[in-house]
Amino acid sequence: MTETLQALEGTTAGEHVALLLALVSAIAHACFGALQKGRHDPWVTRGAIDVWIAVLAAPVALFVVPWPVGFEWLVLLGALGIHFCYKLTMALAYERAAYTVVYPVVRGSGPLITLAFAAVFLGEHYGPWQWLGVAILSAAILGLAGVNLRDAPVDPRALKAGLGWAFAGGMLVAVYTTYDAWGIRLTPDPFTFLAWFFLITALDFPVLMGVKLLRGTASVAGEVRGLMLRGFIGALVAFVSFGGVMLGTRIGKVGEVAALRETSTVFAALIGWAVLGEKVGRVRASLMMGVALGAVMVQAG
């Protein structure tokens, strides 16, 4: 598998595979966000997801893939710090504001910054058409957040805090997307980076979950089985979501893959319409078309 990926790097076929991975990741990430913002405390839910990620990733990291060596350990520790900050901001945002408001803000505020980071730090080049496409995509996603905000019950103080954490989360999306792309390109075997990434970055929130449960600041209220099932499903979705986008950035351009991944907001809206019976309406449909248009412009450019 590693040799196949290496053969795809820098080729037209590799660009097509990166596109497919980005779209699959977008669908998975829409599901992942919805799982974290459920009936359980978001800190506890994320802790349960990370428990399963660690359990499932450990055998692969310890016994299947080559172990990291030298500088690769420092790269993984850097990923741990960045992703801990990201998960922290997401839990704080979900704790204070509605999922339909928080999620588009996080996803909409990241693509332009990611494109800039990829250009500056990874030496990637993008044309004016692609910059315009990302701007349209970001504006449409933030527009979805505005529409959802208009229709959501509002607690002004909680909303202000939730939006602040959501914008911080969007900044960290750009940071971790660029950093993870650098890390997985630096590691000779990409699956070494992926397996150890999932194992190491899943060790923090289970500890926080345990602390909150012991202090009584969070409770599962007898729903341990349901919580662990949600955690198991979330772990599988996380492997597809985060693993897919990182493999995509290994063989494709970071800015393009990141922009296409943000079509997850469209899939989130479609899931809400098809599964939860939520109304889409003309405005939301137009904004969803704007997201899709921006993504197509990035790829076409």
Side-chain angles (χ1 to χ4, degrees):
M1 182 66 76
T2 300
E3 293 177 354
T4 302
L5 285 173
Q6 291 173 341
L8 288 171
E9 293 175 16
T11 66
T12 302
E15 292 177 3
H16 294 160
V17 173
L19 166 64
L20 178 61
L21 287 169
L23 291 175
V24 172
S25 176
I27 298 171
H29 204 275
C31 299
F32 185 81
L35 281 168
Q36 189 175 348
K37 178 67 175 180
R39 67 175 178 269
H40 301 290
D41 183 297
W43 299 81
V44 173
T45 302
R46 184 63 206 233
I49 291 172
D50 280 357
V51 165
W52 279 110
I53 289 176
V55 168
L56 297 173
V60 179
L62 296 173
F63 304 113
V64 177
V65 301
W67 282 39
V69 293
F71 185 67
E72 294 168 7
W73 287 110
L74 295 178
V75 175
L76 286 165
L77 288 176
L80 170 62
I82 294 170
H83 279 268
F84 173 74
C85 292
Y86 166 71
K87 290 188 287 185
L88 189 66
T89 59
M90 292 306 300
L92 290 167
Y94 283 142
E95 198 173 43
R96 289 161 172 78
Y99 165 72
T100 53
V101 175
V102 168
Y103 188 78
V105 170
V106 173
R107 307 320 303 183
S109 54
L112 271 174
I113 304 169
T114 302
L115 206 70
F117 283 178
V120 173
F121 297 111
L122 300 179
E124 296 185 352
H125 301 285
Y126 301 95
W129 191 254
Q130 292 177 297
W131 285 99
L132 177 60
V134 172
I136 292 174
L137 179 144
S138 295
I141 294 174
L142 292 175
L144 279 172
V147 172
N148 294 335
L149 176 60
R150 180 193 64 191
D151 297 338
V154 176
D155 176 351
R157 294 184 64 184
L159 177 63
K160 183 177 179 180
L163 289 176
W165 287 117
F167 276 113
M171 290 287 293
L172 286 167
V173 166
V175 173
Y176 81 61
T177 301
T178 309
Y179 185 91
D180 293 345
W182 173 70
I184 199 169
R185 291 176 179 183
L186 181 73
T187 310
D189 188 330
F191 295 100
T192 291
F193 182 85
L194 284 176
W196 283 94
F197 164 84
F198 280 118
L199 176 58
I200 289 176
T201 60
L203 300 177
D204 45 19
F205 259 62
V207 175
L208 289 179
M209 176 181 70
V211 171
K212 288 180 73 69
L213 291 175
L214 288 173
R215 289 181 175 178
T217 55
S219 172
V220 297
E223 298 183 8
V224 176
R225 180 177 297 180
L227 176 65
M228 296 311 292
L229 177 60
R230 181 182 289 264
F232 178 73
I233 295 172
L236 297 180
V237 173
F239 290 138
V240 176
S241 174
F242 291 96
V245 76
M246 281 191 275
L247 287 174
T249 60
R250 165 87 182 213
I251 60 178
K253 296 180 73 174
V254 176
E256 293 178 1
V257 171
L260 289 171
R261 190 200 192 188
E262 303 318 332
T263 57
S264 59
T265 53
V266 174
F267 294 114
L270 291 174
I271 290 170
W273 170 69
V275 179
L276 304 177
E278 297 178 356
K279 294 182 179 180
V280 175
R282 293 181 180 179
V283 176
R284 281 193 179 90
S286 298
L287 291 169
M288 289 161 61
M289 290 176 63
V291 175
L293 172 63
V296 169
M297 289 174 65
V298 171
Q299 185 63 23

